[in-house]
Amino acid sequence: FARVLDFSSGTNFYRVRAWLSAVNIIHDHPVTGLGLDQFLYAFRGKYILPDAWQEPNLSHPHNILLDFWIRLGISGVVLLIGLQAVFWQKAIHLYRYLRERDTLYFALIIGVVGSMINLIGHGMIDNSVYVEDLAFVFVLLLALVQIDKERVIY
């Protein structure tokens, strides 16, 4: 735990360098990004910082916002923010509605909210959506807040 906030060496050092490289990529390609799964090639080829030469095989920028932007351009940022806004609006509405009415679905919404918090938290420092298993989880969480509260039957 002593090195958890040490950004001068180890995994934290390389993560910060990946973020800086991602910012440089965005500076050069702000509107269109690079396209799906192109970070590795750009990072390894042109954007790797000299002091991060020991980690040339990073395939993503280790940040959800930077990842969406690099893969999809500025529209990816808009998409991510839009999806999150709708998710949280629906989740809060369902939380309030189901709290007194249906304990089973209320528990489900609590789990969905916690899972999305975890996904976003994990996405701030590592991969978040653009791997198969995490993509399934992300879409499942988005779908679960689409519960029609008026049609909940047993």
Side-chain angles (χ1 to χ4, degrees), residues 6-143:
D6 178 15
F7 295 100
S8 63
S9 66
T11 187
N12 289 340
F13 174 80
Y14 294 114
R15 187 165 282 119
V16 170
R17 293 301 182 254
W19 294 341
L20 293 173
S21 294
V23 169
N24 290 336
I25 292 170
I26 290 167
H27 180 266
D28 290 349
H29 306 276
V31 176
T32 61
L34 293 175
L36 296 174
D37 208 23
Q38 297 301 308
F39 181 81
L40 169 68
Y41 310 109
F43 177 72
R44 181 189 308 174
K46 179 179 177 184
Y47 292 98
I48 190 168
L49 298 174
D51 56 355
W53 64 270
Q54 294 170 318
E55 284 288 336
N57 297 320
L58 295 178
S59 62
H60 59 93
H62 287 75
N63 181 284
I64 188 170
L65 184 64
L66 297 175
D67 202 10
F68 268 76
W69 199 332
I70 287 172
R71 291 175 192 263
L72 303 175
I74 193 70
S75 60
V77 175
V78 172
L79 176 67
L80 176 64
I81 291 169
L83 287 172
Q84 286 299 305
V86 169
F87 172 86
W88 288 105
Q89 179 186 23
K90 294 239 180 210
I92 290 168
H93 184 72
L94 280 171
Y95 175 87
R96 290 178 178 154
Y97 181 82
L98 295 171
R99 181 175 36 204
E100 302 296 326
R101 291 176 178 84
D102 192 317
T103 56
L104 180 64
Y105 279 102
F106 179 69
L108 174 69
I109 292 303
I110 295 290
V112 167
V113 166
S115 295
M116 184 60 82
I117 290 169
N118 182 53
L119 188 137
I120 297 298
H122 186 261
M124 297 305 289
I125 59 168
D126 201 357
N127 223 333
S128 55
V129 175
Y130 291 102
V131 290
E132 192 173 347
D133 54 345
L134 295 177
F136 286 136
V137 170
F138 185 67
V139 173
L140 176 65
L141 295 176
L142 294 176

